[in-house]
Amino acid sequence: MRPGRPGIDRPGDPRDRRGGPGGPCRPAQPLPPGRPRALELGDGGRPAHRPLRPVGVRPATRAGIGDDRVSEVRRRRAVVLVANDAAPYSRGLRIARTLTDLGFAVEIAAVGAPGLPREERDGDIVIRRYEPLGPWASWATGRARSRDPRRLVELAVKGLFWPVHVRGWWLALRRQLAPADLYHACGILAIPIALRLGAAARTDGRAGRVVYDVIDIVLESNSYPGLRGPLLAWHRRRERRWAESSDAIVAVNAAIAERVTERWRPVRPVTVLPNGQEARPVPAERPNLIRAATGLPPERSIVLFLGRLGPERGLDEAAEAVLRLPDAALVVIGFGPWADRLRARDAEPRFAGRHVTLPAVHPDQVQAWAASADVSIIAVPAASLNQRLSTPNKFWESLSGGTPVVVGRDLEVMRRIVEADDLGAVADPNDPADLARALAGILDRPPAAAAALRDRCARVSRETFAWEVVDRDYRALVGALVPAVGPVAGPTTLAPSGERG
């Protein structure tokens, strides 16, 4: 986002015209004699100006320059880039729906996965999955098919060419994805390819604007323990250059927005777009979906865990905490590598009837399932800055259903929200006894106090954090980046939009 900086990284960087692991960029085509050469990324010694073309107006062909023909108008197109299988990805789906409401033709471009269709639809939104291609495709599952048995070689490749597991997806997008006016990159795994796609789209007459959505601060997390020291510092510099080259930055909450502003000092203020849930009326009578699916008796309290099932999610501690309550069950709804392990726990004698694992449900249905629970637990240990500043979907999904939450004491942002309006309780996520204390403090409330708590959770969610409330700044941002235009008659005068690094 800073002018005057080319932002080129090493070979393989998405903006490096020398090419990279995914294959070289197409060489510039020679122009007829007498016409000036177009400025290319990486040129030095003069500023890089990008012409601004009204969105929806096709560029004039060489034969049509100077003609008085009416320019053809086409619908603005947006692509939400999601570096997972989007089966589904709730934040990406909400963003896509907002863009559709703004008049865009929208595609969610996700990663192909076994057992999932190549293409699906959510209303007017196309969800298309792209199978990884090229030499990096074998890394998409996290394991290389290298003939070299040395583990150090694999670790070196993963470190130097991180993120290797999405580079095959990047190549598929470059070859198969149609150009767009707006690329919304969900996270660090999507922003490098978004920048390359945006540059290509501009040569095709599209606006090619790029929004970097900082859904988490991955390089300040424990997700990639192999990235340390100088290697980690180098990748952080790469991310900063990607952010600087974006047209705008969006962050999932104000705390992360402050963090990236401090580190990157972007020209344009960071737009905060929380994971608020789409407002849906809460029925007068609470849904009973969980009891219907599990057969749990009506007198047994339901403690709900939503989301990804894996290590460092507090699942073991939550299970032990529920056993300390007189009559409660932990119901787990989600997906992930621990799904089979948790289903096996369901059958263990000491957890029988006190631990139930259910498959994930569609984002549009989560609110009703959350409303079926008595309390939701987010006992994630704050092992990194990324976790301390997180506000995951499960937090907002629970509140939108009127379900109070118990959160880990070091989850700074969620703790502030919970304590500000008394939306639940706080506990030590590593101590099952303390978690049980916090859960009992909610479950043991008299009926009138419990009903008031649920009403407060739903009201705060609806009035302050509903998607229709929190997406207003994002709508204004998109309107400024890719303004809608009507039919334009005759040739269009193009004005420079300023420098772009």
Side-chain angles (χ1 to χ4, degrees):
M1 295 177 64
R2 290 187 179 178
R5 291 188 59 174
I8 297 300
D9 211 8
R10 298 189 178 186
D13 186 277
R15 288 156 294 154
D16 188 349
R17 298 188 65 87
R18 296 169 292 183
C25 298
R26 291 176 295 182
Q29 298 299 314
L31 296 175
R35 292 192 61 185
R37 184 179 68 85
L39 184 67
E40 298 179 5
L41 274 173
D43 284 356
R46 48 190 176 134
H49 291 284
R50 176 156 57 89
L52 177 64
R53 176 180 292 111
V55 176
V57 180
R58 293 188 184 276
T61 61
R62 291 177 183 173
I65 292 178
D67 288 354
D68 291 329
R69 296 181 297 181
V70 176
S71 301
E72 180 183 353
V73 176
R74 58 185 174 185
R75 188 179 180 188
R76 293 178 299 169
R77 170 173 156 80
V79 174
V80 181
L81 294 161
V82 177
N84 58 48
D85 58 21
Y89 175 53
S90 57
R91 180 174 177 84
L93 191 56
R94 289 191 298 273
I95 289 167
R97 287 172 177 173
T98 291
L99 292 170
T100 299
D101 190 51
L102 290 173
F104 285 84
V106 181
E107 174 181 342
I108 296 177
V111 183
L116 293 177
R118 158 105 171 136
E119 184 174 307
E120 293 181 280
R121 284 190 173 270
D122 180 276
D124 293 332
I125 300 165
V126 177
I127 304 169
R128 190 169 288 121
R129 299 180 177 90
Y130 294 82
E131 294 289 341
L133 300 175
W136 295 102
S138 61
W139 294 79
T141 58
R143 296 179 60 187
R145 298 172 186 163
S146 172
R147 296 180 180 178
D148 193 325
R150 293 174 297 178
R151 174 69 173 163
L152 290 178
V153 172
E154 180 178 334
L155 292 176
V157 171
K158 286 183 175 180
L160 291 172
F161 295 97
W162 181 87
V164 294
H165 60 294
V166 292
R167 286 182 176 269
W169 176 61
W170 291 354
L171 179 59
L173 293 174
R174 288 174 52 201
R175 292 182 178 178
Q176 301 171 4
L177 181 64
D181 300 295
L182 178 72
Y183 295 91
H184 184 109
C186 293
I188 193 172
L189 302 182
I191 183 59
I193 187 59
L195 292 168
R196 172 163 278 184
L197 294 171
R202 292 191 292 274
T203 67
D204 194 65
R206 293 283 187 174
R209 299 291 192 178
V210 176
V211 174
Y212 180 18
D213 187 354
V214 186
I215 57 176
D216 48 23
I217 42 179
V218 167
L219 296 180
E220 296 188 64
S221 72
N222 53 4
S223 298
Y224 298 97
L227 301 181
R228 299 178 182 176
L231 185 60
L232 177 59
W234 174 55
H235 286 303
R236 285 176 175 169
R237 289 194 297 272
R238 295 175 71 206
E239 183 183 22
R240 177 171 181 163
R241 285 192 286 268
W242 294 333
E244 290 172 344
S245 296
S246 304
D247 292 289
I249 301 173
V250 167
V252 76
N253 61 43
I256 289 180
E258 292 171 5
R259 178 65 177 176
V260 299
T261 297
E262 175 186 331
R263 294 198 60 185
W264 300 337
R265 304 202 178 277
V267 173
R268 183 193 295 269
V270 177
T271 299
V272 177
L273 182 62
N275 273 325
Q277 303 299 297
E278 292 168 315
R280 295 184 177 87
V282 178
E285 185 175 345
R286 277 177 57 190
N288 203 27
L289 297 174
I290 291 178
R291 295 189 195 279
T294 61
L296 292 172
E299 67 274 8
R300 186 159 299 168
S301 299
I302 295 176
V303 179
L304 177 64
F305 178 94
L306 285 168
R308 184 170 177 80
L309 312 180
E312 300 184 4
R313 304 279 170 168
L315 287 162
D316 292 338
E317 292 78 6
E320 292 295 333
V322 168
L323 291 182
R324 296 170 183 255
L325 301 174
D327 194 4
L330 177 65
V331 176
V332 177
I333 300 178
F335 62 94
W338 273 27
D340 290 340
R341 171 178 173 169
L342 296 177
R343 279 192 287 268
R345 180 182 290 167
D346 295 346
E348 293 180 18
R350 66 189 295 256
F351 288 104
R354 308 289 299 275
H355 190 288
V356 182
T357 306
L358 298 175
V361 298
H362 191 277
D364 291 344
Q365 302 170 355
V366 173
Q367 178 182 321
W369 284 83
S372 303
D374 298 295
V375 61
S376 185
I377 187 167
I378 308 175
V380 178
S384 69
L385 179 63
N386 185 53
Q387 288 174 319
R388 293 199 300 274
L389 301 185
S390 65
T391 47
N393 278 301
K394 68 183 80 176
F395 179 71
W396 305 110
E397 289 162 345
S398 299
L399 295 178
S400 69
T403 303
V405 293
V406 169
V407 300
R409 64 184 182 188
D410 296 322
L411 301 175
E412 301 171 11
V413 180
M414 285 186 280
R415 177 174 182 164
R416 285 200 298 268
I417 295 171
V418 168
E419 292 180 335
D421 289 293
D422 186 20
L423 305 179
V426 175
D428 181 351
N430 298 308
D431 183 357
D434 197 45
L435 288 171
R437 172 201 58 78
L439 291 168
I442 293 174
L443 297 174
D444 294 344
R445 296 193 183 196
L453 174 58
R454 296 189 68 90
D455 288 345
R456 188 163 56 252
C457 290
R459 175 178 53 79
V460 170
S461 172
R462 180 178 61 255
E463 295 178 358
T464 308
F465 298 109
W467 184 256
E468 293 80 1
V469 174
V470 300
D471 81 336
R472 292 170 184 167
D473 289 344
Y474 178 71
R475 287 171 175 265
L477 173 68
V478 170
L481 290 176
V482 192
V485 296
V488 180
T492 303
T493 301
L494 306 180
S497 62
E499 298 182 1
R500 180 184 182 89

